[in-house]
Structure formats: structure tokens, C-alpha cells
Amino acid sequence: MTSRILLAGDLTLPELTEEDHSAPEPGIRTVVWGCDLTGITNRRASRARLRQAGLDALNACRHTPGARHIVLVYSAEPNVRPSLHRVASAVATRLHTELERRTGRDLDAIAAHPNPGCSRGLNPPVSSRDLAM
């Protein structure tokens, strides 16, 4: 069975085709929320934008009852500080906890940063500890 994907947010992902885009409906199992942080040079502003994207993704999942997975994909400048990746991990953890608390459902929540050097486009996790990085 192929699950449907809801693609939302302000980041376009060329890896996903037009067939993957759809409107919120019960058949959606995965929500991919994009957050474009390129051009934001202020560290505080990028953290605030990432946290806001997490809240927006939370609201999208609350209106998509069949969702079981949420992926927060963010892009940033190549010289991004490692602390932004830690913030993304914390946002994904907080998103997972908030979704469970508010909806009573178990949802997987991860954050991913596009890696142009990777053949798949996204930086795959090396271990379970790195899953939200």
C-alpha cells in the first residue's frame, strides 16, 4: 500500500513529484513540512522561524487524522551553525510530544536538512541518535 503525502510549508522539494502533493484528507499518512531558512543570517531569527514551522506542522497534523509521520525539512545556508541542527532536533522532539499529548496518537516526528552532496538529496541518519538531526 502506498501512503499519501501532504507537502506543505515554504520550502519546495524537487525530490517529491506532483503526485505526492495533496490536500488534507483521511488518506494522508505522512506530512512533510518545509521550512526555508536561507537568507536568514540572524541566529535568533532562524531559531524562531524553525520553531514557528514546528507549530505550523503541528496544526497541519491536528487537521489530518490519518497522519502517522511528520518530517520537518529545513534548508539553511551552507555555513549554518551546528546549534541550528540541535534546535531542529529539539523542535522535532517537542513536536512529537505535543502531538501525542494533544491528539492521543503516536506520531513519528523527525527533522531533516537537505544535503546537496548526498545522492538521495536528504542527509540520512547514521544512527538512531542522529535520527532527528
Side-chain angles (χ1 to χ4, degrees):
M1 179 175 116
T2 304
S3 63
R4 297 187 53 156
I5 296 173
L6 171 63
L7 180 62
D10 60 2
L11 179 66
T12 57
L13 299 170
E15 292 85 3
L16 297 177
T17 61
E18 284 300 317
E19 298 88 46
D20 296 319
H21 299 68
S22 55
E25 58 185 58
I28 301 219
R29 305 289 287 171
T30 304
V31 174
V32 177
W33 194 273
C35 179
D36 188 7
L37 301 176
T38 55
I40 299 177
T41 56
N42 185 341
R43 191 172 68 194
R44 252 185 212 168
S46 59
R47 281 195 316 239
R49 178 69 188 98
L50 195 57
R51 288 183 179 133
Q52 182 60 46
L55 290 174
D56 295 341
L58 172 72
N59 288 331
C61 280
R62 290 179 66 202
H63 300 293
T64 311
R68 294 293 175 255
H69 312 282
I70 182 163
V71 181
L72 180 61
V73 179
Y74 64 100
S75 68
E77 298 295 332
N79 58 351
V80 66
R81 294 178 179 241
S83 63
L84 184 62
H85 300 304
R86 289 191 297 272
V87 168
S89 176
V91 166
T93 301
R94 192 172 303 126
L95 183 61
H96 170 79
T97 304
E98 250 336 274
L99 282 167
E100 277 189 342
R101 188 177 69 76
R102 290 186 185 187
T103 64
R105 297 181 287 152
D106 183 32
L107 283 97
D108 296 325
I110 64 168
H113 182 258
N115 182 0
C118 180
S119 63
R120 296 180 142 210
L122 295 177
N123 190 6
V126 176
S127 68
S128 60
R129 181 181 164 280
D130 298 327
L131 188 58
M133 303 270 292

